[in-house]
mmCIF file of all heavy atoms in Angstrom:
data_model
loop_
_atom_site.group_PDB
_atom_site.id
_atom_site.type_symbol
_atom_site.label_atom_id
_atom_site.label_comp_id
_atom_site.label_asym_id
_atom_site.label_seq_id
_atom_site.Cartn_x
_atom_site.Cartn_y
_atom_site.Cartn_z
ATOM 1 N N VAL A 15 -47.453 -67.886 -124.690
ATOM 2 C CA VAL A 15 -48.150 -69.174 -124.568
ATOM 3 C C VAL A 15 -48.756 -69.326 -123.175
ATOM 4 O O VAL A 15 -49.899 -69.764 -123.031
ATOM 5 C CB VAL A 15 -47.199 -70.337 -124.905
ATOM 6 C CG1 VAL A 15 -47.822 -71.681 -124.544
ATOM 7 C CG2 VAL A 15 -46.831 -70.290 -126.383
ATOM 8 N N TYR A 16 -48.022 -68.949 -122.147
ATOM 9 C CA TYR A 16 -48.523 -69.019 -120.774
ATOM 10 C C TYR A 16 -49.817 -68.219 -120.631
ATOM 11 O O TYR A 16 -50.825 -68.726 -120.130
ATOM 12 C CB TYR A 16 -47.452 -68.507 -119.815
ATOM 13 C CG TYR A 16 -47.961 -68.182 -118.436
ATOM 14 C CD1 TYR A 16 -48.347 -69.190 -117.569
ATOM 15 C CD2 TYR A 16 -48.056 -66.863 -117.997
ATOM 16 C CE1 TYR A 16 -48.815 -68.893 -116.296
ATOM 17 C CE2 TYR A 16 -48.517 -66.561 -116.738
ATOM 18 C CZ TYR A 16 -48.897 -67.580 -115.890
ATOM 19 O OH TYR A 16 -49.368 -67.280 -114.646
ATOM 20 N N GLU A 17 -49.815 -66.985 -121.095
ATOM 21 C CA GLU A 17 -51.002 -66.137 -120.973
ATOM 22 C C GLU A 17 -52.170 -66.679 -121.788
ATOM 23 O O GLU A 17 -53.311 -66.653 -121.333
ATOM 24 C CB GLU A 17 -50.661 -64.709 -121.370
ATOM 25 C CG GLU A 17 -49.764 -64.029 -120.351
ATOM 26 C CD GLU A 17 -49.264 -62.663 -120.774
ATOM 27 O OE1 GLU A 17 -49.470 -62.261 -121.944
ATOM 28 O OE2 GLU A 17 -48.644 -61.984 -119.921
ATOM 29 N N GLU A 18 -51.897 -67.189 -122.979
ATOM 30 C CA GLU A 18 -52.964 -67.761 -123.812
ATOM 31 C C GLU A 18 -53.571 -68.995 -123.155
ATOM 32 O O GLU A 18 -54.789 -69.172 -123.154
ATOM 33 C CB GLU A 18 -52.429 -68.127 -125.197
ATOM 34 C CG GLU A 18 -52.144 -66.932 -126.076
ATOM 35 C CD GLU A 18 -51.488 -67.314 -127.394
ATOM 36 O OE1 GLU A 18 -51.216 -68.513 -127.622
ATOM 37 O OE2 GLU A 18 -51.248 -66.406 -128.205
ATOM 38 N N GLN A 19 -52.729 -69.863 -122.602
ATOM 39 C CA GLN A 19 -53.236 -71.079 -121.975
ATOM 40 C C GLN A 19 -53.982 -70.783 -120.683
ATOM 41 O O GLN A 19 -54.987 -71.421 -120.392
ATOM 42 C CB GLN A 19 -52.095 -72.078 -121.730
ATOM 43 C CG GLN A 19 -51.444 -72.582 -122.993
ATOM 44 C CD GLN A 19 -52.426 -73.185 -123.968
ATOM 45 O OE1 GLN A 19 -53.261 -74.005 -123.618
ATOM 46 N NE2 GLN A 19 -52.335 -72.763 -125.212
ATOM 47 N N CYS A 20 -53.524 -69.815 -119.920
ATOM 48 C CA CYS A 20 -54.214 -69.451 -118.672
ATOM 49 C C CYS A 20 -55.575 -68.828 -118.942
ATOM 50 O O CYS A 20 -56.479 -68.918 -118.117
ATOM 51 C CB CYS A 20 -53.353 -68.505 -117.844
ATOM 52 S SG CYS A 20 -51.983 -69.347 -117.041
ATOM 53 N N ALA A 21 -55.731 -68.190 -120.094
ATOM 54 C CA ALA A 21 -57.007 -67.578 -120.452
ATOM 55 C C ALA A 21 -58.049 -68.631 -120.850
ATOM 56 O O ALA A 21 -59.242 -68.356 -120.845
ATOM 57 C CB ALA A 21 -56.810 -66.579 -121.592
ATOM 58 N N LYS A 22 -57.591 -69.823 -121.157
ATOM 59 C CA LYS A 22 -58.490 -70.909 -121.558
ATOM 60 C C LYS A 22 -58.901 -71.724 -120.338
ATOM 61 O O LYS A 22 -58.245 -71.710 -119.305
ATOM 62 C CB LYS A 22 -57.791 -71.847 -122.545
ATOM 63 C CG LYS A 22 -57.413 -71.212 -123.846
ATOM 64 C CD LYS A 22 -56.704 -72.230 -124.711
ATOM 65 C CE LYS A 22 -56.273 -71.616 -126.021
ATOM 66 N NZ LYS A 22 -55.555 -72.597 -126.857
ATOM 67 N N SER A 23 -59.965 -72.464 -120.501
ATOM 68 C CA SER A 23 -60.361 -73.424 -119.476
ATOM 69 C C SER A 23 -59.603 -74.712 -119.789
ATOM 70 O O SER A 23 -60.006 -75.497 -120.639
ATOM 71 C CB SER A 23 -61.872 -73.663 -119.535
ATOM 72 O OG SER A 23 -62.232 -74.666 -118.624
ATOM 73 N N LEU A 24 -58.473 -74.895 -119.125
ATOM 74 C CA LEU A 24 -57.605 -76.021 -119.443
ATOM 75 C C LEU A 24 -58.191 -77.336 -118.963
ATOM 76 O O LEU A 24 -58.566 -77.479 -117.812
ATOM 77 C CB LEU A 24 -56.228 -75.825 -118.803
ATOM 78 C CG LEU A 24 -55.414 -74.650 -119.301
ATOM 79 C CD1 LEU A 24 -54.122 -74.535 -118.497
ATOM 80 C CD2 LEU A 24 -55.097 -74.804 -120.770
ATOM 81 N N THR A 25 -58.250 -78.294 -119.873
ATOM 82 C CA THR A 25 -58.675 -79.639 -119.505
ATOM 83 C C THR A 25 -57.507 -80.615 -119.589
ATOM 84 O O THR A 25 -57.554 -81.668 -119.005
ATOM 85 C CB THR A 25 -59.810 -80.128 -120.426
ATOM 86 O OG1 THR A 25 -59.354 -80.082 -121.781
ATOM 87 C CG2 THR A 25 -61.052 -79.261 -120.265
ATOM 88 N N GLU A 26 -56.468 -80.242 -120.314
ATOM 89 C CA GLU A 26 -55.288 -81.083 -120.450
ATOM 90 C C GLU A 26 -54.179 -80.572 -119.528
ATOM 91 O O GLU A 26 -54.033 -79.377 -119.344
ATOM 92 C CB GLU A 26 -54.784 -81.071 -121.899
ATOM 93 C CG GLU A 26 -55.762 -81.662 -122.886
ATOM 94 C CD GLU A 26 -56.016 -83.143 -122.656
ATOM 95 O OE1 GLU A 26 -55.075 -83.870 -122.290
ATOM 96 O OE2 GLU A 26 -57.163 -83.569 -122.819
ATOM 97 N N PRO A 27 -53.366 -81.481 -118.984
ATOM 98 C CA PRO A 27 -52.284 -81.056 -118.099
ATOM 99 C C PRO A 27 -51.050 -80.538 -118.850
ATOM 100 O O PRO A 27 -50.184 -79.909 -118.261
ATOM 101 C CB PRO A 27 -51.952 -82.312 -117.305
ATOM 102 C CG PRO A 27 -52.381 -83.434 -118.178
ATOM 103 C CD PRO A 27 -53.552 -82.920 -118.969
ATOM 104 N N PHE A 28 -50.977 -80.813 -120.149
ATOM 105 C CA PHE A 28 -49.836 -80.368 -120.945
ATOM 106 C C PHE A 28 -50.233 -80.321 -122.411
ATOM 107 O O PHE A 28 -51.276 -80.845 -122.799
ATOM 108 C CB PHE A 28 -48.617 -81.286 -120.753
ATOM 109 C CG PHE A 28 -48.907 -82.728 -121.075
ATOM 110 C CD1 PHE A 28 -48.772 -83.213 -122.364
ATOM 111 C CD2 PHE A 28 -49.323 -83.595 -120.088
ATOM 112 C CE1 PHE A 28 -49.048 -84.544 -122.663
ATOM 113 C CE2 PHE A 28 -49.599 -84.929 -120.367
ATOM 114 C CZ PHE A 28 -49.456 -85.404 -121.658
ATOM 115 N N GLY A 29 -49.397 -79.673 -123.227
ATOM 116 C CA GLY A 29 -49.696 -79.601 -124.639
ATOM 117 C C GLY A 29 -48.583 -78.919 -125.415
ATOM 118 O O GLY A 29 -47.580 -78.488 -124.852
ATOM 119 N N VAL A 30 -48.784 -78.847 -126.724
ATOM 120 C CA VAL A 30 -47.839 -78.204 -127.627
ATOM 121 C C VAL A 30 -48.604 -77.175 -128.439
ATOM 122 O O VAL A 30 -49.687 -77.458 -128.950
ATOM 123 C CB VAL A 30 -47.175 -79.223 -128.571
ATOM 124 C CG1 VAL A 30 -46.224 -78.539 -129.539
ATOM 125 C CG2 VAL A 30 -46.455 -80.302 -127.780
ATOM 126 N N VAL A 31 -48.048 -75.974 -128.539
ATOM 127 C CA VAL A 31 -48.663 -74.899 -129.318
ATOM 128 C C VAL A 31 -47.738 -74.584 -130.491
ATOM 129 O O VAL A 31 -46.545 -74.338 -130.297
ATOM 130 C CB VAL A 31 -48.853 -73.629 -128.452
ATOM 131 C CG1 VAL A 31 -49.415 -72.494 -129.277
ATOM 132 C CG2 VAL A 31 -49.743 -73.927 -127.265
ATOM 133 N N ALA A 32 -48.280 -74.629 -131.716
ATOM 134 C CA ALA A 32 -47.514 -74.242 -132.903
ATOM 135 C C ALA A 32 -47.797 -72.763 -133.164
ATOM 136 O O ALA A 32 -48.942 -72.371 -133.362
ATOM 137 C CB ALA A 32 -47.929 -75.087 -134.090
ATOM 138 N N LEU A 33 -46.756 -71.949 -133.145
ATOM 139 C CA LEU A 33 -46.899 -70.508 -133.342
ATOM 140 C C LEU A 33 -46.709 -70.128 -134.806
ATOM 141 O O LEU A 33 -46.135 -70.892 -135.587
ATOM 142 C CB LEU A 33 -45.881 -69.764 -132.478
ATOM 143 C CG LEU A 33 -45.975 -70.014 -130.976
ATOM 144 C CD1 LEU A 33 -44.840 -69.307 -130.259
ATOM 145 C CD2 LEU A 33 -47.317 -69.564 -130.436
ATOM 146 N N ASP A 34 -47.160 -68.944 -135.163
ATOM 147 C CA ASP A 34 -47.003 -68.433 -136.527
ATOM 148 C C ASP A 34 -45.534 -68.318 -136.924
ATOM 149 O O ASP A 34 -45.210 -68.330 -138.106
ATOM 150 C CB ASP A 34 -47.661 -67.056 -136.669
ATOM 151 C CG ASP A 34 -49.169 -67.128 -136.493
ATOM 152 O OD1 ASP A 34 -49.744 -68.217 -136.685
ATOM 153 O OD2 ASP A 34 -49.765 -66.093 -136.158
ATOM 154 N N THR A 35 -44.650 -68.205 -135.960
ATOM 155 C CA THR A 35 -43.214 -68.064 -136.216
ATOM 156 C C THR A 35 -42.574 -69.380 -136.637
ATOM 157 O O THR A 35 -41.410 -69.407 -137.009
ATOM 158 C CB THR A 35 -42.495 -67.567 -134.955
ATOM 159 O OG1 THR A 35 -42.704 -68.531 -133.911
ATOM 160 C CG2 THR A 35 -42.982 -66.209 -134.520
ATOM 161 N N GLY A 36 -43.330 -70.476 -136.534
ATOM 162 C CA GLY A 36 -42.789 -71.797 -136.830
ATOM 163 C C GLY A 36 -42.297 -72.521 -135.590
ATOM 164 O O GLY A 36 -41.940 -73.689 -135.651
ATOM 165 N N ASP A 37 -42.306 -71.832 -134.467
ATOM 166 C CA ASP A 37 -41.874 -72.442 -133.206
ATOM 167 C C ASP A 37 -42.962 -73.347 -132.658
ATOM 168 O O ASP A 37 -44.154 -73.062 -132.794
ATOM 169 C CB ASP A 37 -41.597 -71.355 -132.157
ATOM 170 C CG ASP A 37 -40.382 -70.536 -132.484
ATOM 171 O OD1 ASP A 37 -39.278 -71.061 -132.342
ATOM 172 O OD2 ASP A 37 -40.555 -69.378 -132.892
ATOM 173 N N GLU A 38 -42.541 -74.438 -132.047
ATOM 174 C CA GLU A 38 -43.449 -75.275 -131.277
ATOM 175 C C GLU A 38 -43.067 -75.098 -129.816
ATOM 176 O O GLU A 38 -41.915 -75.309 -129.443
ATOM 177 C CB GLU A 38 -43.341 -76.736 -131.695
ATOM 178 C CG GLU A 38 -43.966 -77.006 -133.034
ATOM 179 C CD GLU A 38 -44.051 -78.489 -133.344
ATOM 180 O OE1 GLU A 38 -43.343 -79.299 -132.714
ATOM 181 O OE2 GLU A 38 -44.837 -78.821 -134.228
ATOM 182 N N VAL A 39 -44.030 -74.696 -129.015
ATOM 183 C CA VAL A 39 -43.790 -74.418 -127.603
ATOM 184 C C VAL A 39 -44.539 -75.455 -126.775
ATOM 185 O O VAL A 39 -45.730 -75.673 -126.969
ATOM 186 C CB VAL A 39 -44.262 -72.986 -127.252
ATOM 187 C CG1 VAL A 39 -44.080 -72.719 -125.778
ATOM 188 C CG2 VAL A 39 -43.510 -71.965 -128.095
ATOM 189 N N ILE A 40 -43.826 -76.092 -125.864
ATOM 190 C CA ILE A 40 -44.404 -77.122 -125.002
ATOM 191 C C ILE A 40 -44.753 -76.488 -123.660
ATOM 192 O O ILE A 40 -43.965 -75.736 -123.100
ATOM 193 C CB ILE A 40 -43.397 -78.263 -124.783
ATOM 194 C CG1 ILE A 40 -43.010 -78.878 -126.130
ATOM 195 C CG2 ILE A 40 -43.960 -79.316 -123.837
ATOM 196 C CD1 ILE A 40 -41.814 -79.796 -126.057
ATOM 197 N N TRP A 41 -45.942 -76.792 -123.148
ATOM 198 C CA TRP A 41 -46.338 -76.262 -121.841
ATOM 199 C C TRP A 41 -46.805 -77.403 -120.947
ATOM 200 O O TRP A 41 -47.250 -78.442 -121.417
ATOM 201 C CB TRP A 41 -47.419 -75.191 -121.971
ATOM 202 C CG TRP A 41 -48.693 -75.661 -122.599
ATOM 203 C CD1 TRP A 41 -49.016 -75.608 -123.921
ATOM 204 C CD2 TRP A 41 -49.802 -76.270 -121.946
ATOM 205 N NE1 TRP A 41 -50.259 -76.141 -124.131
ATOM 206 C CE2 TRP A 41 -50.770 -76.556 -122.936
ATOM 207 C CE3 TRP A 41 -50.081 -76.605 -120.635
ATOM 208 C CZ2 TRP A 41 -51.985 -77.164 -122.643
ATOM 209 C CZ3 TRP A 41 -51.301 -77.208 -120.339
ATOM 210 C CH2 TRP A 41 -52.230 -77.466 -121.344
ATOM 211 N N LEU A 42 -46.676 -77.185 -119.641
ATOM 212 C CA LEU A 42 -47.040 -78.179 -118.640
ATOM 213 C C LEU A 42 -47.611 -77.460 -117.429
ATOM 214 O O LEU A 42 -46.978 -76.565 -116.879
ATOM 215 C CB LEU A 42 -45.788 -78.959 -118.235
ATOM 216 C CG LEU A 42 -45.881 -79.941 -117.101
ATOM 217 C CD1 LEU A 42 -46.786 -81.106 -117.488
ATOM 218 C CD2 LEU A 42 -44.497 -80.452 -116.740
ATOM 219 N N ASN A 43 -48.823 -77.827 -117.037
ATOM 220 C CA ASN A 43 -49.468 -77.231 -115.878
ATOM 221 C C ASN A 43 -49.313 -78.188 -114.695
ATOM 222 O O ASN A 43 -49.990 -79.212 -114.625
ATOM 223 C CB ASN A 43 -50.952 -76.971 -116.164
ATOM 224 C CG ASN A 43 -51.657 -76.316 -115.011
ATOM 225 O OD1 ASN A 43 -51.067 -76.046 -113.977
ATOM 226 N ND2 ASN A 43 -52.937 -76.054 -115.184
ATOM 227 N N LEU A 44 -48.416 -77.869 -113.784
ATOM 228 C CA LEU A 44 -48.128 -78.759 -112.659
ATOM 229 C C LEU A 44 -49.280 -78.874 -111.672
ATOM 230 O O LEU A 44 -49.312 -79.811 -110.875
ATOM 231 C CB LEU A 44 -46.867 -78.282 -111.933
ATOM 232 C CG LEU A 44 -45.589 -78.307 -112.778
ATOM 233 C CD1 LEU A 44 -44.440 -77.687 -111.996
ATOM 234 C CD2 LEU A 44 -45.254 -79.703 -113.228
ATOM 235 N N GLU A 45 -50.226 -77.949 -111.695
ATOM 236 C CA GLU A 45 -51.385 -78.011 -110.800
ATOM 237 C C GLU A 45 -52.519 -78.858 -111.359
ATOM 238 O O GLU A 45 -53.501 -79.082 -110.673
ATOM 239 C CB GLU A 45 -51.915 -76.606 -110.519
ATOM 240 C CG GLU A 45 -51.114 -75.852 -109.507
ATOM 241 C CD GLU A 45 -51.815 -74.577 -109.082
ATOM 242 O OE1 GLU A 45 -52.544 -73.980 -109.887
ATOM 243 O OE2 GLU A 45 -51.604 -74.175 -107.936
ATOM 244 N N SER A 46 -52.397 -79.307 -112.556
ATOM 245 C CA SER A 46 -53.484 -80.057 -113.182
ATOM 246 C C SER A 46 -53.731 -81.372 -112.453
ATOM 247 O O SER A 46 -52.798 -82.148 -112.233
ATOM 248 C CB SER A 46 -53.146 -80.350 -114.642
ATOM 249 O OG SER A 46 -54.126 -81.187 -115.192
ATOM 250 N N PRO A 47 -54.993 -81.643 -112.077
ATOM 251 C CA PRO A 47 -55.284 -82.896 -111.381
ATOM 252 C C PRO A 47 -55.033 -84.123 -112.261
ATOM 253 O O PRO A 47 -54.774 -85.199 -111.769
ATOM 254 C CB PRO A 47 -56.761 -82.795 -111.009
ATOM 255 C CG PRO A 47 -57.274 -81.538 -111.597
ATOM 256 C CD PRO A 47 -56.149 -80.789 -112.205
ATOM 257 N N GLY A 48 -55.078 -83.956 -113.562
ATOM 258 C CA GLY A 48 -54.870 -85.093 -114.465
ATOM 259 C C GLY A 48 -53.420 -85.393 -114.748
ATOM 260 O O GLY A 48 -53.098 -86.396 -115.379
#
């Protein structure tokens, strides 16, 4: 999830990713100005 989110142009400071495994992974970018 970290690598996928870093590859994107992040506009949100946090989010939830639903994976094919059924897991929901929460991420938070502490450097986000928002």
Side-chain angles (χ1 to χ4, degrees):
V15 170
Y16 164 71
E17 290 173 352
E18 288 174 358
Q19 296 305 312
C20 285
K22 296 179 182 179
S23 175
L24 296 176
T25 57
E26 296 295 323
F28 57 88
V30 178
V31 177
L33 301 175
D34 295 338
T35 60
D37 291 287
E38 287 189 342
V39 177
I40 301 167
W41 61 268
L42 173 66
N43 182 0
L44 297 174
E45 282 190 329
S46 174

